[in-house]
Amino acid sequence: APAPALTGSVVAGGGGEGGPGSSCVFVVRRDQDIYIQTLRKLFNESHGIFLGLQRSEEELAGKSRKAQLVQVSKNYRSVIRACMEDMHQAAAGTITKSETWPCFFQVSILSAMELIWNLCEILFVEAAAAGPLLLRLLDWVRLHVCDVDNMVREVLSSENPSKHKLFWNVVDVFVLQGRMDEARHLLSKEATANPTSVNMYKILDDLMKKMPVPNLGNTQTLTEMELKWQHWHEECQRYLQDGTFASNSHMESICKILLGDENAILEKKELMTTWYHFLVTRLLYSHPTVKPMELRMDLFLGEESSPEPLDTILMAAFEFELHQVIKECSIALSNWWFVAHLTDLLDHCKLLQSHNLYFGSNMREFLLLEYASGLFSHHSLWQLGVDYFDHCPEYGRVYLELHIERIPLNTEQKALKVLRICEQRQMHEQVRSICKIMAMKALRTNRLGSALSWSIRAKDAAFATLISDRFLKDYCERGCFSDLDLIDNLGPSMLLSDRLTFLGKYREFHRLYGEKRFSEAAKLLLMLMTAHIAPCSFWMTLLTDALPLLEQKEVIFSAEQTYELMRCLEDLTAGKSEKQKFQDDDVETMKVEMLRLALARNLARVIVKEGTLEGS
Amino acid sequence: QDNRVSIWSVGDLGNGGLSGEYQGEPQLLCDIRHNGDVMDMQFLDQERIVVASSTGSVTVFRHHQNNQTLSANQRWEKAHYHVDQDTSCGGAACTGVICNNPEIVTVGEDGRINLFRADQKDAVRSIDNADSSTLHAVTFLRTTEILTVNSIGQLKIWDFRQQRNEPSQIFSLTGDRVPLHCVDRHPNQQHIVATGGQDGMLSIWDIRQGTMPVSLLNAHEAEMWEVHFHPSNPDHLFTCSEDGSLWHWDTSTDISGKPSFLHQGGRSTTYFSHNTINQSVVSAWLSNDPTKDRMEITNLIPNQTLSVNSLDILGPCLVYGTDAEAIYVNRQLFA
């Protein structure tokens, strides 16, 4: 049996506990297994199967639901097997021992997982009635105990099988595994080769042929089966006691096996190789209509050896101790994958009572949360984890909220994927926070358009204001706008923040001025101030921008508008304290003076103009 | 992180099985390590592939067919970079690459457009700060003109013959400036351009007229990552999205014989109306007369889970890749 690894989280030892030069830095990594390349298929494919199961029709009742669940179980197992294949191939490609050994180790782990899962599928998911159950168990044994396959092949392919030294071993193997037809076929070769034992052969063959086997069609009732079996058992007993097989020890031991003689079966220990084979064989030949009986594993294993983890798990399964199985698997395996998916499946089979664990969630949820949390530490498998959290009703959302903010966002595309996940789940806090991070990054690298695009996504008015201030600052410093392609094309996003609206409109003012549409420009300029769209700090700049309009040959501002402008100027200057006025340098005071003069002159001209009668 | 560029073989065409569907798994021929995420890639010619990286570098790989290996032929290490405020140069992801042998154009998160020539060490031309936002995709309009899309919903035409670093034309979406993620040009009628947006909307533009899209089609529920016109059958358009679906848009007039690819994926077939009478003059994509013939849209993915990030089509073959680390090949698209 393979030796499963210890539990997962690697604990870092502290360094420097005495001893010179022993201070080290340990890299602690949770869930090592997710970094194994070949296992990625396992995680990805099982994610798809998991989702399919969650979304499957719950309304299907009885047989069809069971068939569906069995299919899901089979799908999981085929993924495990596919991974084993890949591991084998990977192992074939390696050269050094240090590379090869981990591959084989993984193969043995996967093989153990498949073994356990298969048994659980038979006993719990499919949970057939006693007869068919036994047939399934026989299949299971035949599939997984393959140490004897080579021997079988060797004998069958030899020219004269009955003369082969391992001939009787192979016949025994067939009998132990309930492969009656194949056993009889081989025996017939012996009969033809050895005419003296023809009689014995005929009887044995007959007994084997007549052995009552539970059929899948369930055409016979349990009592019928019991009766037939009793009859047959007695017949075998008679032949044995009559000494029919006395001259051929091989045939005699076969007859004893047919009778379910424990010692006879135990003699063939080497051929069975595992205790569970022994168990199933005993079941086959003692009580095929009854569920697994008491384990006598000590008979098989002997006094010295203690059960390995795999044995403990299988034992618990045979004893129908589901929780024990899950617990043992959790301890033995280094990764939550197996227990999480198996428990989820069993939960869908309605086999786990909702016994709440200490901290409120049930076992299924606990395991799924642990598994998904492990996935989140991976730079790309975290996406799978999201769906697992989605299907944990109690704590899934909280876990997701905490984990998703910690995913490193090294490209915009990754950030977009994370954002989409958050938006689909109405995780507004996280959306805002991620957009802020991306916007800040963009701002720091002077990508103002990107920064704006992120704030629009988050509908973050405050940030949009920040960006607009940056633009305005740039303008004040350089006298021209950077990134005109952005500002000219703001569209409805302009309304996100007042400052942004101002920026857009201000740029529009400049455009209008450039196109010599002065009266429109004037109106806009005034509106910016009177509607309080412009920040107070900018009013001076705006008024200064009004100067060229005031100085035009043609009168642009109406009397109303001029009065408004004057009021704005006064508001501005009145707002300044005495101290500030003192600090204002000459340029400032001159500006104010010039404005006052220009306004006054304009007022004069416009009064005259408006007062003049139109006409001839 | 272990990212690789790989080349796969999907078996011979003659190997049709019973249903013709399962023709064996794709075989990995060769692969090579790649530094950073592969953001985009394109074949430059039969042997060379240009790959755009999230580190900001652009690499040309050569596929040696005789011994089935890949080697890095040429690399522009700092094709895209940010200039930080404290003047340290960090890499900026290169988001899109397009080739027209021997020219290679790349765009990135730094808003820069580069024009490279294969086998020339330095960039032929580099437009710094071409865009104040991230450029998401690029494609050739004509041999000297390219189209770019950015994250503030603008489609821009750049003419390399002009010396100034300004786009020759700017188109924008109406309404919200939703970021555009992908762009493709109609193979025969060069004035028809399709773009896909962050809200999953497909926009069709006629760049001869106006600055706004001709039609807006509500498509996916999340970002549309790629849009492609079928190169030889341009009545067919394909789009893939973060929502895990891949849509086939069919405006061909022959709807009498229903194409058989509508079998399983057909559960989300919807019908839009389009005028296709004067198809030689007015493309089906541009007209929007609701009373005439219809456009069929099919989701080709029956059980969608994770995002479909990328797709490509050639002849009857469709290839796409998903975030579930799987590649799908459909070799009988029009069976």
Side-chain angles (χ1 to χ4, degrees), chain A residues 23-224:
Chain A
S23 45
C24 314
V25 176
F26 288 87
V27 176
V28 176
R29 196 178 242 189
R30 195 197 153 124
D31 272 320
Q32 276 273 33
D33 288 354
I34 54 178
Y35 291 92
I36 300 175
Q37 191 62 25
T38 18
L39 285 184
R40 282 174 85 143
K41 181 191 272 195
L42 184 72
F43 300 127
N44 278 292
E45 295 282 317
S46 59
H47 165 259
I49 301 171
F50 174 83
L51 276 184
L53 176 61
Q54 311 307 309
R55 293 173 185 169
S56 68
E57 298 290 308
E58 283 273 359
E59 298 91 52
L60 286 180
K63 268 203 176 141
S64 35
R65 176 69 174 158
K66 182 176 276 198
Q68 203 176 41
L69 292 168
V70 171
Q71 187 54 49
V72 169
S73 181
K74 288 195 158 85
N75 288 343
Y76 275 123
R77 283 196 297 124
S78 74
V79 175
I80 300 177
R81 278 200 301 274
C83 268
M84 271 165 63
E85 275 288 319
D86 287 348
M87 277 291 183
H88 264 299
Q89 286 195 2
T94 58
I95 313 164
T96 65
K97 201 156 164 218
S98 60
E99 286 172 4
T100 321
W101 187 81
C103 290
F104 282 126
F105 180 65
Q106 275 305 322
V107 170
S108 68
I109 301 258
L110 286 170
S111 149
M113 292 207 292
E114 208 264 327
L115 177 74
I116 301 168
W117 194 299
N118 200 346
L119 183 62
C120 291
E121 180 184 309
I122 294 171
L123 294 176
F124 307 129
V125 184
E126 203 171 354
L133 178 70
L134 182 62
L135 291 175
R136 292 268 186 275
L137 284 174
L138 282 172
D139 282 334
W140 176 72
V141 163
R142 284 172 208 161
L143 197 59
H144 289 102
V145 180
C146 33
D147 292 0
V148 295
D149 285 356
N150 277 336
M151 180 176 72
V152 170
R153 244 195 309 272
E154 207 186 296
V155 171
L156 286 177
S157 54
S158 72
E159 276 183 25
N160 212 342
S162 51
K163 292 283 177 267
H164 199 291
K165 61 176 160 77
L166 296 173
F167 171 76
W168 283 107
N169 282 356
V170 175
V171 177
D172 287 337
V173 164
F174 286 153
V175 172
L176 290 166
Q177 290 186 359
R179 291 150 86 169
M180 290 311 180
D181 292 336
E182 291 169 78
R184 287 172 52 218
H185 179 75
L186 261 190
L187 274 180
S188 68
K189 292 205 203 290
E190 156 72 4
T192 47
N194 208 343
T196 50
S197 53
V198 161
N199 273 338
M200 268 196 299
Y201 158 73
K202 275 213 184 107
I203 296 171
L204 189 59
D205 182 78
D206 192 54
L207 283 178
M208 285 165 80
K209 191 164 74 179
K210 283 200 293 199
M211 175 175 173
V213 176
N215 60 358
L216 289 164
N218 268 340
T219 53
Q220 49 188 352
T221 65
L222 225 55
T223 10
E224 267 178 32

Side-chain angles (χ1 to χ4, degrees), chain A residues 40 44 47 51 55 379-381 383-384 387 410-413 416-417 420 443-445 447-450 453 457 470 483 485-486 489-492, chain B residues 1 39 54 82 84-85 109-111 129 131-134 151-152 154 156 172 175 177 181 198 222-223 225 242 304-307 309 323-325:
Chain A
R40 282 174 85 143
N44 278 292
H47 165 259
L51 276 184
R55 293 173 185 169
H379 56 87
S380 127
L381 289 174
Q383 280 183 292
L384 306 177
D387 287 310
N410 49 338
T411 62
E412 286 201 359
Q413 194 170 18
L416 287 172
K417 285 181 185 273
R420 181 60 60 184
L443 213 56
R444 238 183 277 125
T445 51
R447 317 280 330 129
L448 293 177
S450 293
S453 145
R457 177 94 184 245
R470 251 299 261 282
D483 305 315
D485 63 333
L486 171 64
N489 290 292
L490 283 174
Chain B
Q1 287 195 30
M39 304 295 294
S54 62
H82 282 308
D84 227 324
Q85 271 178 355
E109 279 180 19
D110 55 353
N129 213 20
D131 201 308
S132 60
S133 64
T134 302
S151 57
I152 41 175
Q154 295 174 318
K156 295 183 182 174
S172 336
R177 299 292 191 256
H181 284 290
Q198 203 171 83
E223 285 84 353
W225 293 123
E242 176 71 21
Q304 55 195 64
T305 50
L306 294 180
S307 163
N309 292 321
D323 264 342
E325 302 186 9

Side-chain angles (χ1 to χ4, degrees), chain B residues 296-315:
Chain B
E296 282 178 8
I297 307 170
T298 324
N299 181 3
L300 297 179
I301 302 181
N303 295 318
Q304 55 195 64
T305 50
L306 294 180
S307 163
V308 180
N309 292 321
S310 180
L311 73 97
D312 205 358
I313 8 152
L314 189 67

